[in-house]
Amino acid sequence: MFEHVQKRHRVFFVYIGGESPLKEKYIDAASELIVYTYFFSASEDVVPEYVILKEMPAVLVFKDETYFVYDEYEDGDLSSWINRERFQNYLTVDGFLLYELGDTGKLVAIAVIDEKNTSNEHTRLKSIIQEVARDYRDQFHRDFQFGHMDGNDYINTLLMDELKVPTVVVLNTSNQQYFLLDRQIGSAEDMAHFIRDILDGTVPAQGGDSILQRLKRIIFDAKSTIVSIFKSSPLMGCFLFGLPLGVISIMCYGIYTADTDGGYIEERYEVSRSEIESQEPVEESKEQEPSDGATLGPRVQEPKDVLEKKKD
């Protein structure tokens, strides 16, 4: 049955031993991660003879035609260790797989190549990454995941730059940092030395998830979306962006002309008001002229008693 499982699954975990606190942790981790990988339990006599266990109980992962034993002191939490080890050491990487690898906490060393290109440079970089993943497994498998990616379209969106192909890039998918080659890679030893420098911190990291990088990401994503729309369907792009711009232009023109008309009307009102106010003093002076003349002229009075005296 073990041989049957080994043929069916490229990666699977096995708990070996009886009841123990480790088994309870294993069951909890299996319940959490059962959708990602395969879990089994067995007795010691089930595993092949080449499997050497220093102590019991134990948790093992079988992959890449070999096995690794969980060490609580070196590997930490069992669930985190299973999450890191549930992938093969070398993979054909795509966007979805990179997203999943972000949960492992590992750095991902990727040979970015064109699989249709059979030139020596493309095949050489891929072979170097495969050789490092195989021959330096014990040194790097806890911290690194290896693989290759066909084409640079997805990588360009992550790096927000045009990456030259073929090349090697090391990604930290947990914080969006990346490391680019700063030297010529001629052999697996050169690549292993570059990886050690990354672990030592001597190779500067680029990118990240700072506020500035997030703003750059927003601008880059918006620009990429607009360009892709116009490339795929120019008419649709003109409609999507032309219609809102046209509506906004009409609204701005309407607001501007409304303000101009309102200012003209207000100006005419002020002119009319000033003309009316200037005419009012003239009319008042005309009304005052007859009254003033009456005061200046002789005042004629014919009282009744004077007439009666004359009559008498």
Side-chain angles (χ1 to χ4, degrees), residues 118-187:
T118 58
S119 64
N120 181 57
E121 187 66 17
H122 287 258
T123 56
R124 185 180 64 84
L125 282 179
K126 180 180 177 181
S127 300
I128 287 175
I129 293 294
Q130 288 175 332
E131 186 176 348
V132 172
R134 181 183 65 251
D135 298 342
Y136 295 84
R137 185 197 315 271
D138 294 337
Q139 297 182 35
F140 301 137
H141 85 276
R142 282 188 172 89
D143 301 307
F144 275 85
Q145 185 73 46
F146 299 92
H148 74 273
M149 175 177 283
D150 182 20
N152 61 347
D153 293 338
Y154 187 81
I155 291 293
N156 289 342
T157 60
L158 290 179
L159 274 56
M160 295 184 289
D161 196 2
E162 188 72 21
L163 194 65
K164 186 179 178 181
V165 177
T167 187
V168 173
V169 59
V170 178
L171 299 175
N172 187 343
T173 54
S174 61
N175 59 7
Q176 298 183 359
Q177 288 184 342
Y178 60 92
F179 304 86
L180 299 177
L181 289 178
D182 57 357
R183 67 200 72 179
Q184 291 292 330
I185 301 297
S187 64

Side-chain angles (χ1 to χ4, degrees), residues 294-302:
T295 56
L296 292 174
R299 187 173 182 181
V300 180
Q301 292 184 354
E302 293 182 358

Side-chain angles (χ1 to χ4, degrees), residues 1-224:
M1 185 176 179
F2 180 86
E3 293 177 355
H4 176 70
V5 170
Q6 199 169 22
K7 290 178 181 179
R8 289 191 60 186
H9 307 302
R10 296 179 179 179
V11 180
F12 63 95
F13 295 83
V14 181
Y15 171 84
I16 299 175
E19 297 296 329
S20 68
L22 181 62
K23 186 174 183 178
E24 294 179 1
K25 295 180 181 178
Y26 179 78
I27 293 174
D28 293 338
S31 301
E32 179 184 355
L33 301 171
I34 190 66
V35 295
Y36 300 114
T37 187
Y38 301 91
F39 298 90
F40 302 91
S41 63
S43 58
E44 186 177 2
D45 57 349
V46 171
V47 296
E49 295 180 355
Y50 65 83
V51 176
I52 299 174
L53 299 176
K54 296 180 180 180
E55 59 181 13
M56 296 284 292
V59 177
L60 291 79
V61 56
F62 290 87
K63 63 177 183 178
D64 302 324
E65 299 180 354
T66 185
Y67 69 95
F68 300 96
V69 182
Y70 167 69
D71 188 330
E72 185 175 2
Y73 297 102
E74 293 186 4
D75 299 320
D77 180 63
L78 177 60
S79 180
S80 300
W81 176 78
I82 292 174
N83 194 41
R84 292 195 304 269
E85 297 295 333
R86 63 188 177 93
F87 297 99
Q88 291 179 280
N89 203 32
Y90 185 88
L91 298 165
T92 300
V93 182
D94 56 17
F96 178 75
L97 188 56
L98 269 180
Y99 177 78
E100 285 193 312
L101 290 172
D103 296 332
T104 65
K106 290 185 177 182
L107 300 176
V108 187
I110 305 173
V112 184
I113 62 173
D114 183 1
E115 290 189 333
K116 297 179 181 179
N117 192 327
T118 58
S119 64
N120 181 57
E121 187 66 17
H122 287 258
T123 56
R124 185 180 64 84
L125 282 179
K126 180 180 177 181
S127 300
I128 287 175
I129 293 294
Q130 288 175 332
E131 186 176 348
V132 172
R134 181 183 65 251
D135 298 342
Y136 295 84
R137 185 197 315 271
D138 294 337
Q139 297 182 35
F140 301 137
H141 85 276
R142 282 188 172 89
D143 301 307
F144 275 85
Q145 185 73 46
F146 299 92
H148 74 273
M149 175 177 283
D150 182 20
N152 61 347
D153 293 338
Y154 187 81
I155 291 293
N156 289 342
T157 60
L158 290 179
L159 274 56
M160 295 184 289
D161 196 2
E162 188 72 21
L163 194 65
K164 186 179 178 181
V165 177
T167 187
V168 173
V169 59
V170 178
L171 299 175
N172 187 343
T173 54
S174 61
N175 59 7
Q176 298 183 359
Q177 288 184 342
Y178 60 92
F179 304 86
L180 299 177
L181 289 178
D182 57 357
R183 67 200 72 179
Q184 291 292 330
I185 301 297
S187 64
E189 179 59 33
D190 294 339
M191 189 67 209
H193 185 68
F194 175 66
I195 291 175
R196 293 191 193 99
D197 289 344
I198 291 176
L199 293 175
D200 294 339
T202 56
V203 178
Q206 303 182 45
D209 56 357
S210 63
I211 296 177
L212 180 60
Q213 288 295 324
R214 292 177 183 178
L215 292 175
K216 288 182 178 179
R217 171 70 57 187
I218 293 173
I219 296 172
F220 179 82
D221 290 341
K223 179 182 176 182
S224 301

